[in-house]
């Protein structure tokens, strides 16, 4: 771990450790300023932010609204070297209570449990590039709101969802690694986006466990088909792109993969987002997978459906 403090035994330990220090130990300002670059770029489906001070403010605001938030690191799938820099795809399961007014509206007192996946580039102990996808659709539903209505209000309040025109090129240039498991997941996702949904039957274990955007938990081929087909049906002409892929084999773990992907194009079909509106849409998604002897055994796919609804609302008024 050249360039990182000696107390971190490896890169996942660093990612899990600094997350705990910032969020649960409340060392928000000092640790963010230590571990995040002064000009760090954070891209989220709901918008883009720059600078460590923006990250401090956003973290404080989230903890004010959800003060008992706990971030449980389910997995860190990573690539790279300390010399060149490393990319972590960190899957987080969060529990919290909506106790104060904030970005998600008037406090409801409701408990929530949601996932997020953060792709972070770090070198010499400092994070300078990040792509963060939170399951805001699942969270909004758990506090009793409708994602489409919530998104429309965000647009009315002047917020704009992220799209490639806003992107800032950061220091991370790699596309991941060429490990076979990352390629396997990329191939599965590509087939699904080419409307070859037989990939589910051919590549997924019949007993697969699935965790999807919207707080959806499913099992088996039918549940996978029910998630992917309506998504593609909403944007049948949109361009699908693999933006980053990692495959990883480690002791005492099944083969795993992390793929960050995107859909760019028009909302020109009936599907997960209702009647076609011709709105120009950008979807940022991240998928984690674990493989077993009978195919894809576990899948976690997140995109922010509220960001999609924001883009539709901005187009339709």
């Amino acid at each position: 771990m050249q360039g990182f403090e000696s107390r971190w035994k490896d890169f996942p330990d660093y990612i899990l450790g600094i997350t705990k220090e910032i969020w649960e130990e409340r060392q928000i300002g000092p640790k963010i300023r230590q571990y995040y670059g002064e000009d760090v770029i954070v891209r989220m489906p709901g918008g883009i932010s720059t600078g460590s001070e923006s990250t401090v403010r956003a973290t404080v605001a989230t903890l004010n609204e959800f003060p008992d938030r706990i971030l449980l690191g389910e997995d860190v799938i990573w690539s790279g070297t300390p010399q060149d820099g490393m990319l972590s795809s960190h899957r987080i399961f969060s529990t919290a209570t909506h106790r104060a007014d904030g970005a998600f509206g008037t406090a409801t007192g409701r408990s929530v449990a949601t996932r997020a996946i953060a792709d972070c580039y770090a070198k010499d102990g400092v994070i300078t590039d990040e792509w963060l996808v939170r399951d805001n659709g699942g969270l909004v539903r758990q506090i009793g709101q409708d994602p489409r209505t919530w998104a429309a209000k965000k647009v009315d309040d002047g917020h704009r969802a992220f799209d490639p025109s806003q992107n800032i090129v950061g220091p991370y240039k790699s596309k991941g690694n060429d490990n076979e498991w990352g390629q396997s997941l990329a191939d599965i996702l590509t087939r699904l986006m080419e409307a070859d949904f037989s990939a589910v039957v051919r590549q997924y274990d019949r007993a697969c466990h699935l965790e999807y955007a919207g707080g959806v938990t499913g099992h088996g081929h039918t549940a996978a088909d029910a998630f992917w087909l309506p998504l593609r049906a909403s944007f049948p002409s949109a361009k699908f792109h693999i933006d980053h892929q990692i495959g990883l084999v480690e002791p005492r773990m099944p083969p795993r993969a992390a793929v960050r992907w995107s859909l760019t194009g028009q909302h020109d079909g009936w599907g997960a987002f209702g009647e076609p509106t011709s709105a120009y849409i950008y979807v940022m998604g991240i998928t984690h997978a674990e493989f077993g002897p009978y195919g894809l055994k576990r899948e976690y796919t997140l995109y922010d459906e509220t960001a999609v609804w924001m883009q539709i609302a901005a187009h339709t008024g």
Side-chain angles (χ1 to χ4, degrees):
M1 288 291 287
Q2 173 186 319
F4 292 77
E5 293 178 85
S6 59
R7 64 193 177 107
W8 307 119
K9 65 181 181 180
D10 54 27
F11 191 43
D13 189 43
Y14 163 82
I15 292 295
L16 295 170
I18 69 172
T19 301
K20 184 173 182 290
E21 288 180 352
I22 291 168
W23 288 92
E24 293 168 39
E25 296 179 7
R26 295 297 203 267
Q27 301 180 62
I28 302 169
K31 293 301 183 180
I32 288 176
R33 295 181 184 108
Q34 176 182 348
Y35 296 130
Y36 284 77
E38 184 177 352
D39 299 316
V40 62
I41 305 162
V42 182
R43 307 158 191 84
M44 299 160 286
I48 185 170
S49 72
T50 58
S52 54
E53 293 306 314
S54 293
T55 303
V56 171
R57 290 192 294 270
T59 304
V60 170
T62 299
L63 281 173
N64 177 68
E65 194 168 4
F66 300 93
D68 61 345
R69 188 181 184 207
I70 296 175
L71 283 72
L72 303 174
E74 291 186 321
D75 200 4
V76 179
I77 302 173
W78 62 279
S79 64
T81 67
Q83 293 76 19
D84 297 328
M86 296 184 283
L87 193 287
S88 65
S89 195
H90 179 199
R91 190 176 74 248
I92 302 161
F93 184 76
S94 292
T95 61
T97 309
H98 188 212
R99 291 182 173 168
D101 300 352
F104 290 92
T106 303
T108 62
R110 296 192 181 191
S111 296
V112 299
T114 62
R115 280 187 172 83
I117 302 178
D119 281 11
C120 293
Y121 169 67
K123 185 179 180 182
D124 296 326
V126 177
I127 295 168
T128 51
D129 255 7
E130 182 171 355
W131 295 258
L132 172 60
V133 178
R134 292 189 175 115
D135 184 14
N136 283 336
L139 192 157
V140 164
R141 286 188 176 87
Q142 290 176 66
I143 58 174
Q145 298 188 48
D146 172 67
R148 184 174 189 174
T149 304
W150 184 86
K153 185 177 186 306
K154 295 290 283 186
V155 172
D156 286 343
D157 291 342
H159 295 276
R160 179 186 175 189
F162 177 78
D163 66 60
S165 70
Q166 304 169 43
N167 191 39
I168 301 168
V169 177
Y172 186 65
K173 310 300 183 187
S174 174
K175 295 298 182 181
N177 61 27
D178 58 1
N179 180 278
E180 63 178 304
W181 298 106
Q183 188 59 52
S184 293
L185 180 56
D187 289 345
I188 290 170
L189 296 176
T190 299
R191 287 182 62 186
L192 293 172
M193 292 296 101
E194 290 175 347
D196 181 5
F197 297 103
S198 70
V200 172
V201 175
R202 295 177 183 273
Q203 301 294 330
Y204 283 61
D205 190 312
R206 287 186 67 247
C208 57
H209 179 109
L210 312 165
E211 297 287 345
Y212 286 139
V216 174
T217 297
H219 298 85
H221 294 164
T222 300
D225 191 79
F227 173 78
W228 285 108
L229 196 153
L231 175 62
R232 191 44 162 161
S234 287
F235 316 109
S237 67
K239 181 180 178 181
F240 175 73
H241 189 260
I242 299 291
D243 299 314
H244 193 272
Q245 67 183 58
I246 301 171
L248 186 63
V249 178
E250 293 181 306
R252 297 186 292 178
M253 294 291 288
R256 291 124 71 210
V259 172
R260 188 171 72 248
W261 50 268
S262 58
L263 271 174
T264 309
Q266 282 190 309
H267 175 215
D268 53 358
W270 284 89
F273 293 89
E275 182 178 358
T277 61
S278 298
Y280 181 83
I281 298 296
Y282 172 77
V283 181
M284 181 194 301
I286 305 180
T287 297
H288 280 192
E290 298 177 7
F291 294 88
Y294 303 108
L296 191 156
K297 183 68 174 178
R298 293 183 180 85
E299 180 196 344
Y300 305 81
T301 292
L302 297 184
Y303 69 90
D304 185 350
E305 64 181 293
T306 65
V308 178
W309 284 121
M310 285 174 67
Q311 294 168 86
I312 292 172
H315 175 79
T316 62

